[in-house]
Amino acid sequence: DADVTQTPRNRITKTGKRIMLECSQTKGHDRMYWYRQDPGLGLRLIYYSFDVKDINKGEISDGYSVSRQAQAKFSLSLESAIPNQTALYFCATSDFPGTDTQYFGPGTRLTVL
Amino acid sequence: KQEVTQIPAALSVPEGENLVLNCSFTDSAIYNLQWFRQDPGKGLTSLLLIQSSQREQTSGRLNASLDKSSGRSTLYIAASQPGDSATYLCAVDPTNDYKLSFGAGTTVTVRA
């Protein structure tokens, strides 16, 4: 089984709809991250959480919110989706102190019409 | 703000040729630099991580070098194979807070 899973893997929705992307991990890591990837651009950090009680905005948090339900679960919400939020979304985890490596989920492809 | 650039955006080589992928960053005050591989439909996989105090890291056919003063890293893949076809991304951690700054990636195609 994959260490970092994301659901759904693909989602098509309409402008104005609320969407939740979920991430679960079995690696036992405290730190979790949400990124988005757009064609021709690198991954950009949306939100990150260093433990259940610690949530921080990343580079591009406007229009997004997150919830850290447990050490293993980190959800990303789009309260009112808009077309420019169409992107590939990745969840990642890392341990601290540890190897400094981030472990990524398979991604969720979101299309907002 | 750290800017990470990867040139070229795409590369096509015949099988067996050595690959050279470039990454440049604007702020030399980094904690570490990582190279990732991305396959379609899959997440990123970490290939090599170079700490700021290191000059290079090697794993099998892969070798990554780091020159902080010039703001450059190079990933070498020896004797390329079709299975090396993927997108390769570099990412910089500026302050050991795990907030990585990514380049846009180089998409590699190895022709059989």
Side-chain angles (χ1 to χ4, degrees):
Chain A
D1 289 339
D3 294 320
V4 184
T5 57
Q6 293 184 234
T7 56
R9 295 293 311 279
N10 289 281
R11 182 70 183 268
I12 299 173
T13 191
K14 295 182 179 180
T15 297
K17 293 292 187 180
R18 184 179 188 275
I19 293 295
M20 179 180 285
L21 309 183
E22 299 185 334
C23 177
S24 294
Q25 52 112 347
T26 59
K27 299 190 74 66
H29 291 167
D30 285 326
R31 296 188 171 191
M32 299 186 73
Y33 311 80
W34 275 105
Y35 294 90
R36 67 176 277 176
Q37 184 180 36
D38 298 277
L41 297 177
L43 277 72
R44 291 181 291 167
L45 184 63
I46 305 172
Y47 270 96
Y48 61 103
S49 171
F50 284 173
D51 65 41
V52 174
K53 297 181 180 179
D54 179 65
I55 292 178
N56 305 279
K57 294 182 177 180
E59 179 186 355
I60 53 163
S61 60
D62 288 348
Y64 301 94
S65 63
V66 291
S67 174
R68 185 81 183 266
Q69 300 94 328
Q71 184 202 40
K73 296 184 181 295
F74 193 34
S75 300
L76 176 72
S77 294
L78 289 68
E79 296 301 327
S80 180
I82 56 177
N84 75 2
Q85 291 177 315
T86 294
L88 187 56
Y89 290 84
F90 287 104
C91 174
T93 74
S94 64
D95 59 346
F96 183 83
T99 63
D100 295 337
T101 299
Q102 291 195 10
Y103 299 86
F104 283 78
T108 294
R109 185 166 297 281
L110 177 65
T111 302
V112 183
L113 302 176
Chain B
K1 179 178 180 292
Q2 181 74 268
E3 301 286 345
V4 182
T5 303
Q6 292 185 249
I7 296 174
L11 188 60
S12 179
V13 299
E15 183 177 3
E17 190 165 304
N18 296 332
L19 285 163
V20 180
L21 307 180
N22 298 304
C23 172
S24 61
F25 46 94
T26 53
D27 188 344
S28 62
I30 65 169
Y31 183 74
N32 64 44
L33 182 146
Q34 294 187 60
W35 283 94
F36 291 88
R37 170 180 172 141
Q38 182 178 15
D39 293 283
K42 298 183 180 180
L44 282 66
T45 301
S46 181
L47 297 174
L48 290 168
L49 184 149
I50 311 175
Q51 301 290 353
S52 62
S53 58
Q54 299 175 317
R55 294 301 300 267
E56 66 177 348
Q57 278 285 352
T58 298
S59 176
R61 294 183 295 112
L62 276 59
N63 174 276
S65 64
L66 175 65
D67 184 342
K68 276 199 336 177
S69 61
S70 66
R72 294 181 183 175
S73 178
T74 302
L75 177 66
Y76 299 89
I77 303 177
S80 62
Q81 304 169 357
D84 294 328
S85 298
T87 297
Y88 293 83
L89 298 97
C90 70
V92 171
D93 184 352
T95 58
N96 192 27
D97 62 5
Y98 292 60
K99 293 186 290 183
L100 302 181
S101 296
F102 281 84
T106 295
T107 299
V108 171
T109 302
V110 181
R111 307 186 304 272

